[in-house]
Amino acid sequence: MNDFVEFFSFVDANIRYVTLGSVLLAASSAVVGCFTLLRKRALVGDAVAHSVLPGVCLAFILSGTKNPLILLVGAFVTGWLSLVSIDYITARSRIKEDTAIGLVLSVFFGIGILLLTSIQHSGDAAQSGLDKFLFGKAASLVGEDLIVFSAVAIVLLITTILFYKELKLLCFDEVYAKSIGFPVRSLELLLTTLTVFAVVVGIQAVGVVLMAAMLITPAAAARFWTERLGVMLVLAALIGAFSGIAGAFVSYTAPAMPTGPWIVLIVSMIAIISFALAPKRGWVARLLRQRKNKTQILEENLLKLLYQLGEAHEDYFSNRNLESILERRNFPKRQALAGLAKLKRQGYIQRHPDGWSLTIEGEARGKRVVRLHRLWELYLTQYLQLASDHVHEDAETIEHIITPELEKRLMEELNYPALDPHQTRIP
């Protein structure tokens, strides 16, 4: 508790630097990562992260100092060159983008390791700590670093806000953006520059190895909670900021724990929770939705079957025993009994000593499912020219998802038909 109070009081200047720096780095990277994710270029962040290392080393060799602004400029140059190289290779050769990313990543990173090794064996005392760009060391952030990285993070966020509409259109409909005169190539270069800036800023905290996770993971987690880009950007920034604070706090309470990897670990845990528990797109919600759909299909198939059993003598409310139901359609017995029990609770059927019978509500719902099935069969034979003996399976699937609006349109398109392709009456 004392550690918690001491940390969040922010009395210690080092705590302020590390926490604020981590929050800005994580939040700005997450916002830019949203556009990278939506452009389906998630691996680009990894390529840039590995490609900034030679720029950092060259900037140190030429300047002889670890000034964060100079190192940032060097990292930006090689990071930007790596993206231009990927685009050039993809456009001018038969090599696909994923292969180009692998080639550029390995070449640039290999050069960076060679330069870093050379610097470490040069005997220059100023090179101490330069290897933190490999794995990150957020705890080493000082006031000078914070000023530079804060400025870059603010530029990233302001640029994203100013070009929000253009970047949104680029991500979702590039062809339309071209057709209305948007400078698509310039916007792509802008997004490329923003991505490079985000990576360059973040490597100080988590290093080149983990930077791709900081760029993409918050965006991927936020994507599971919303369908709107504006909300996604805010959520990604909040997730990144929370991870930055939490990682800094863990590192403070356990000094042996590095801040950067903990930031990545926490944001990954948030992503896993999002993948599992997001209300609409999460794994659990998807399983529940699939289970609900299966239950609905079983119930409607049972009602349809009971209605069809009564069609021969137009006797829809007579009792039907389980054997006659299973004889007409091969339902698993346990599923059929569970479905019948649920339909009884819903008021669609009645239970009798010798079987089940439809209620008025059940007869109406069963009639509608039969009608939709036969309408769709007729539509497939008339408009898609399918053989009448090839349409049953498609109708079995589609009958459960046709809305009342689509039903009305089908009736109008087919001119209110009386018979289906098998010359059976459409109720």
Side-chain angles (χ1 to χ4, degrees):
M1 188 62 185
N2 291 335
D3 288 340
F4 182 87
V5 173
E6 186 176 351
F7 179 86
F8 285 100
S9 65
F10 300 115
V11 174
D12 190 326
N14 188 52
I15 293 176
R16 291 198 299 270
Y17 294 149
V18 173
T19 304
L20 185 57
S22 299
V23 168
L24 287 171
L25 299 178
S28 58
S29 300
V31 169
V32 176
C34 289
F35 296 105
T36 305
L37 176 72
L38 293 173
R39 289 279 290 166
K40 296 180 173 62
R41 304 194 74 190
L43 286 176
V44 165
D46 198 27
V48 175
H50 285 76
S51 300
V52 300
L53 186 59
V56 171
C57 295
L58 285 172
F60 174 79
I61 291 172
L62 295 175
S63 67
T65 177
K66 290 187 294 182
N67 184 293
L69 182 59
I70 296 175
L71 297 182
L72 187 148
V73 171
F76 174 81
V77 171
T78 55
W80 199 83
L81 282 175
S82 71
L83 280 186
V84 172
S85 301
I86 291 170
D87 290 339
Y88 183 84
I89 292 171
T90 305
R92 299 300 179 90
S93 70
R94 301 180 67 179
I95 295 176
K96 294 184 178 180
E97 186 179 47
D98 57 342
T99 307
I101 289 173
L103 289 172
V104 171
L105 181 154
S106 55
V107 169
F108 274 74
F109 190 59
I111 294 172
I113 292 296
L114 287 175
L115 290 174
L116 184 61
T117 303
S118 175
I119 292 170
Q120 289 175 334
H121 288 83
S122 66
D124 188 346
Q127 59 87 25
S128 175
L130 198 62
D131 58 346
K132 69 187 177 185
F133 285 95
L134 273 176
F135 302 105
K137 194 172 183 181
S140 66
L141 288 174
V142 295
E144 187 180 8
D145 296 322
L146 186 60
I147 292 172
V148 174
F149 296 143
S150 298
V152 175
I154 291 170
V155 169
L156 283 175
L157 296 175
I158 291 175
T159 306
T160 301
I161 294 171
L162 291 176
F163 292 92
Y164 171 75
K165 181 178 67 175
E166 290 81 2
L167 292 174
K168 179 179 180 180
L169 192 57
L170 178 68
C171 290
F172 289 103
D173 201 335
E174 182 179 337
V175 175
Y176 178 67
K178 289 180 180 178
S179 69
I180 62 176
F182 272 40
V184 170
R185 182 57 184 164
S186 299
L187 290 173
E188 288 179 337
L189 289 176
L190 174 63
L191 185 55
T192 296
T193 304
L194 292 177
T195 303
V196 175
F197 263 129
V199 171
V200 167
V201 170
I203 57 174
Q204 180 81 348
V206 298
V208 301
V209 177
L210 298 176
M211 186 55 219
M214 279 306 308
L215 189 70
I216 299 301
T217 309
R223 182 70 182 90
F224 274 78
W225 294 95
T226 181
E227 299 287 343
R228 299 177 58 189
L229 178 58
V231 178
M232 179 181 172
L233 293 175
V234 173
L235 284 176
L238 291 175
I239 291 171
F242 174 80
S243 302
I245 294 174
F249 177 71
V250 172
S251 181
Y252 175 76
T253 55
M257 295 290 185
T259 305
W262 265 104
I263 293 175
V264 173
L265 182 60
I266 291 168
V267 78
S268 299
M269 291 170 62
I270 294 174
I272 292 171
I273 292 171
S274 300
F275 300 160
L277 302 179
K280 291 184 179 180
R281 301 167 62 90
W283 174 66
V284 173
R286 189 162 59 248
L287 288 178
L288 293 175
R289 192 160 53 246
Q290 290 174 352
R291 182 178 178 181
K292 180 182 177 181
N293 290 339
K294 287 181 180 179
T295 302
Q296 177 184 334
I297 291 171
L298 174 64
E299 293 169 4
E300 292 186 348
N301 283 337
L302 286 168
L303 290 173
K304 179 179 69 173
L305 181 54
L306 290 171
Y307 182 88
Q308 289 172 333
L309 289 171
E311 275 190 310
H313 301 95
E314 295 190 0
D315 180 13
Y316 302 106
F317 302 101
S318 295
N319 294 342
R320 312 290 176 186
N321 58 38
L322 184 61
E323 287 72 22
S324 63
I325 294 173
L326 297 181
E327 182 180 348
R328 180 70 178 263
R329 182 161 180 164
N330 187 26
F331 290 115
K333 186 174 181 180
R334 180 178 296 180
Q335 289 185 16
L337 289 172
L340 290 168
K342 188 171 182 180
L343 288 170
K344 177 181 178 296
R345 292 195 300 270
Q346 294 173 341
Y348 289 114
I349 64 174
Q350 292 178 333
R351 180 74 166 94
H352 302 280
D354 54 344
W356 291 266
S357 66
L358 290 170
T359 62
I360 294 175
E361 294 81 4
E363 187 268 344
R365 188 178 174 189
K367 179 195 292 186
R368 181 176 182 271
V369 179
V370 172
R371 180 168 63 251
L372 296 177
H373 181 98
R374 293 172 184 172
L375 282 173
W376 192 252
E377 285 188 332
L378 188 60
Y379 179 82
L380 292 176
T381 55
Q382 287 193 8
Y383 285 87
L384 298 183
Q385 305 299 315
L386 297 179
S388 59
D389 57 345
H390 284 68
V391 295
H392 177 75
E393 293 297 329
D394 286 332
E396 279 283 307
T397 302
I398 203 70
E399 67 190 24
H400 302 289
I401 59 174
I402 293 179
T403 62
E405 293 78 14
L406 185 55
E407 178 185 358
K408 181 181 178 181
R409 186 173 175 183
L410 278 173
M411 294 288 287
E412 293 172 351
E413 291 281 346
L414 297 170
N415 197 23
Y416 299 95
L419 300 175
D420 72 359
H422 310 290
Q423 299 306 303
T424 305
R425 184 177 66 85
I426 298 176

